[in-house]
Amino acid sequence: MSVILCPICNQPLSDGVQSSVCNKGHKFTVSDNIIDLLPNMNDEAIKEEQVHWDRYCIEDTASIANSYYKSKIIQDYDSTFYKYITDEWSDYPQRSIHVAEIGCGPGSAIRYLAGINFAQVDYVGIDVSFQSMIRSRDLCKINPNWKVRFVRATANRAIFKNDTLDMVLSNSALHHLRVDDVINWVSKSLKSGGLFIMHEPSEKNPFAKLGRKFVRDFHTKGEKPLDPRKIEKIANKNGLQLIHEKGLHFLSGPMMYCVEILHFPPRLSTFSYSVSNFIDRFINSPTWNYSFVQVYRRGDRT
């Protein structure tokens, strides 16, 4: 676990079964293959996120329950990530990579990257919710050439060594965090040529703003949907170059909320998705779509 740093002294952490210790003797508990770097957390915003997502997993309060809509939208994310990653790394079957996922929740990156047969993957998922990572561990079928580790930590501060990661992925997590701080450490932790891949809700989509207020148990108080242009500006300042960008689900994303709130029957749900998906094709702007995908590349160090 040499890529992970002690949050107290920034020294590398060992990879232990029951505990993880840094070079200066700071010890952190390991439970269920999850290392806890937040043993004495006192940040109220982080606590709110932790309580929310722990309860979400324990009570299984899946606010967006319509499986048809969810499956279609997830399929779009999956195909988008697959295309961008394999376009950039056409030699992926020969690549051994280190991947970190911000706000891993129920193992989003594990699911999205499962279809890309890298030679080897060392994956670290970070989240504030212990229960979310338990769910990731129990529900995800890991390819045998994956080494998986989960860390309870906040992504608002760096926990990875510089120049050690090939990819950092944020699947709808960055808008819960301090964006400037996260992108700063991401740019430092990536190797030259490494990729920062994000999928986030856009603050400019008017339908999304309403839906995110009315669907219960799915969104937290402190979250703030993002402006892709502002993200690009911050990324550029930190040496990250935007190489791919796509807006997704202008109407089908918000309609997913309506389907949930109004309890559409299956046939009406299928019909409404067909209509909204047709309209989606005419809205290309990442800014005005419900959400956007961006891929950044870390340039050569100077």
Side-chain angles (χ1 to χ4, degrees), residues 49-87:
E49 292 278 347
Q50 174 200 329
V51 169
H52 176 93
W53 295 114
D54 277 351
R55 180 171 57 85
Y56 181 87
C57 289
I58 292 171
E59 298 178 2
D60 198 24
T61 53
S63 304
I64 306 298
N66 189 281
S67 60
Y68 182 80
Y69 258 86
K70 284 176 67 175
S71 65
K72 289 293 187 180
I73 286 176
I74 288 174
Q75 186 178 34
D76 288 340
Y77 299 150
D78 186 41
S79 60
T80 301
F81 293 149
Y82 181 91
K83 173 176 170 50
Y84 289 158
I85 293 170
T86 55
D87 281 353

Side-chain angles (χ1 to χ4, degrees), residues 115-133:
I116 305 176
N117 294 318
F118 292 106
Q120 184 176 340
V121 176
D122 284 284
Y123 167 89
V124 179
I126 58 176
D127 204 298
V128 297
S129 168
F130 190 84
Q131 294 300 326
S132 291
M133 290 181 284

Side-chain angles (χ1 to χ4, degrees), residues 43-264:
D43 186 309
E44 291 302 320
I46 296 175
K47 282 184 178 180
E48 190 267 330
E49 292 278 347
Q50 174 200 329
V51 169
H52 176 93
W53 295 114
D54 277 351
R55 180 171 57 85
Y56 181 87
C57 289
I58 292 171
E59 298 178 2
D60 198 24
T61 53
S63 304
I64 306 298
N66 189 281
S67 60
Y68 182 80
Y69 258 86
K70 284 176 67 175
S71 65
K72 289 293 187 180
I73 286 176
I74 288 174
Q75 186 178 34
D76 288 340
Y77 299 150
D78 186 41
S79 60
T80 301
F81 293 149
Y82 181 91
K83 173 176 170 50
Y84 289 158
I85 293 170
T86 55
D87 281 353
E88 287 302 309
W89 293 339
S90 58
D91 61 342
Y92 65 87
Q94 288 79 49
R95 279 187 175 257
S96 295
I97 64 171
H98 284 83
V99 178
E101 182 176 13
I102 296 170
C104 61
S108 298
I110 294 174
R111 181 178 68 244
Y112 288 129
L113 299 179
I116 305 176
N117 294 318
F118 292 106
Q120 184 176 340
V121 176
D122 284 284
Y123 167 89
V124 179
I126 58 176
D127 204 298
V128 297
S129 168
F130 190 84
Q131 294 300 326
S132 291
M133 290 181 284
I134 289 287
R135 197 171 183 178
S136 301
R137 183 204 63 190
D138 292 344
L139 297 181
C140 294
K141 294 182 179 179
I142 309 302
N143 189 303
N145 63 355
W146 278 54
K147 180 181 179 182
V148 177
R149 191 61 144 165
F150 295 104
V151 180
R152 182 171 174 262
T154 171
N156 283 325
R157 63 184 182 188
I159 62 165
F160 295 100
K161 290 178 64 176
N162 290 353
D163 303 299
T164 55
L165 301 175
D166 298 282
M167 182 192 302
V168 178
L169 189 142
S170 171
N171 182 46
S172 201
L174 192 61
H175 68 285
H176 293 273
L177 300 163
R178 298 196 300 265
V179 176
D180 291 78
D181 292 340
V182 175
I183 292 180
N184 180 263
W185 73 252
V186 166
S187 69
K188 294 176 180 177
S189 298
L190 283 173
K191 301 175 185 177
S192 293
L195 303 179
F196 178 35
I197 303 174
M198 70 174 73
H199 157 252
E200 297 293 336
S202 175
E203 69 173 7
K204 300 293 186 180
N205 185 289
F207 305 111
K209 287 184 178 181
L210 291 175
R212 300 178 81 83
K213 290 181 181 295
F214 291 114
V215 175
R216 65 177 179 83
D217 294 330
F218 193 68
H219 305 293
T220 59
K221 296 177 182 177
E223 67 169 35
K224 296 179 181 178
L226 303 173
D227 181 342
R229 299 287 65 83
K230 291 181 182 178
I231 300 301
E232 183 180 8
K233 184 177 180 179
I234 297 169
N236 288 343
K237 184 176 68 175
N238 285 276
L240 299 176
Q241 177 189 5
L242 181 64
I243 56 174
H244 298 290
E245 183 177 45
K246 185 177 184 179
L248 292 167
H249 310 130
F250 171 77
L251 187 57
S252 57
M255 276 300 299
M256 184 170 62
Y257 295 115
C258 295
V259 167
E260 174 65 20
I261 294 169
L262 301 176
H263 303 290
F264 281 21

